[in-house]
Amino acid sequence: MSTLAVPGLLQEVRRYGRFDVNACLSCGSCTVVCNLSNGSASFPRKPIRRALLGLKGSLCGGLEPWLCHDCGDCSVACPRQAEPRESMMTLRRYLIAQYDFTRLASKVLGSRIGEILTLSLVGLLVFALVLVYHLYYMKVPMTVSEFVSTEMGFEHMFPTIWNFTIVVLLIPAVLLLINTIRMHRLALPGNDHVKIPLRSYFVEATTAFVHMFSHTNIRKCIQGIHKIRWTKHWLLGMAVSMMLFIKFFFLDWFQTDLIHPIYHPQRWLGYCAAAILLYIPLDILVGRIKKRVEMHKFSEPSDLILPVMLLLVALSGLAVHVFRYLEFALTSHILYAVHLAIAVPLVLIELPFGKWSHAFYRPIALYFQAVRERALTEEKVDQPSEELVPAGVESA
Ligand code: SF4
Ligand code: SF4
């Protein structure tokens, strides 16, 4: 891994958010106070120094920004108000752009206009596809005025919407998989050049799943608020996962939901997930607007766009369900097009290229870190200590 300084790295990093560390004295208080930092993964001071020194290779090969859970304990402890929490957030955005082979993440995360424009374009494209489908591909094609005035159910779309949903979910999955391979190339064997035995990948295989589904490291942060934050984060993760899981494997549930009685478990699973998807993004937005805690003190546009989109997806999905249940066929048909125009950009853009990708990269980084630590430990065990080396061996 190159240790050469890259001029302009700091400016490059600053495209992705606040990185105002000129006041930093390198005192290390932030690293001492951080409960997630440890000997083999020391942060936030270390990755911030790498960026300041222009060490691009070490910065991109480091996993530390992903091990940070954005709690803000370090910023509270910093005697110079250098905002290390914000810098770590910026480094995560920068790393997402480095992993992404399409370079779209750089446009989405590096520019507020770029993100809004990309999301809007994909939303408009979805509207256009809905229109084209009704005007040209239905058994009985319609005119535009018929499309906006005809009372239709959803049944005519069922086979098409199944194929469309699977494609929309598979695209970000494939993109994230390719970017994970690039992340692996950059981050392993890592800045300490440890040799990683294949066995370590298998032994630590459960780490990614444990962190993906538990987010348990949040609970280690100091302030009491993070215990509640963990609960909310976990509930949101479960609600989103459940919705994606249902869409991927049980789409016919959605298509036949009206024939199920009110006590059917499918309905209540959907209602619980919808309630969580309404409450928690709203709570995040209120927190960020009121700036009551350190972690909400500064928000980049992408910090607001994700909860806003989640909220709109939940609201539009709920509206479709209510109007469908009330048999307002035309309203629910139009609302469903609106729902798709918000949900599809959320999945196609925010998941592989935007802030949402942290839900994927963080557990993978924790997995890679666990693999690296295991390899380091085994390497140390395999090396005989100085006292055990027989006399004369060294000179031989
Ligand atoms: S960011 Fe603040 S706490 Fe951390 S090393 Fe710099 S001055 Fe010290
Ligand atoms: S924000 Fe929290 S987890 Fe991240 S470096 Fe600071 S103290 Fe550690």
Side-chain angles (χ1 to χ4, degrees), residues 175-186:
L175 289 169
L176 284 169
L177 194 66
I178 296 171
N179 289 342
T180 302
I181 295 169
R182 287 169 57 83
M183 178 189 190
H184 177 269
R185 272 206 204 135
L186 286 169

Side-chain angles (χ1 to χ4, degrees), residues 41 51 59 69-70 88 137 140 148 152 164 192 202 262 279 291 327 340 371:
L59 182 65
H69 257 291
D70 199 34
M88 291 296 273
Y137 289 100
V140 185
V148 293
M152 284 183 288
F164 180 71
D192 32 29
F202 292 108
I262 194 76
Y279 169 69
K291 304 177 192 234
E327 296 182 5
L340 285 180
V371 167

Side-chain angles (χ1 to χ4, degrees), residues 47 57-58 68 185 189 191-192 197 225 235-236 298 300 332 380 388:
S58 307
C68 158
R185 272 206 204 135
N191 292 320
D192 32 29
I225 184 182
L235 280 173
L236 184 61
F298 300 106
E300 292 293 332
S332 56
K380 275 183 197 152
L388 295 177

Side-chain angles (χ1 to χ4, degrees), residues 21 23-31 44-45 48 74 77-84:
V21 287
C24 175
L25 288 174
S26 207
C27 68
S29 305
C30 48
T31 300
R45 196 182 72 98
I48 290 172
C74 52
C78 176
R80 302 279 293 180
Q81 287 78 49
E83 306 294 351

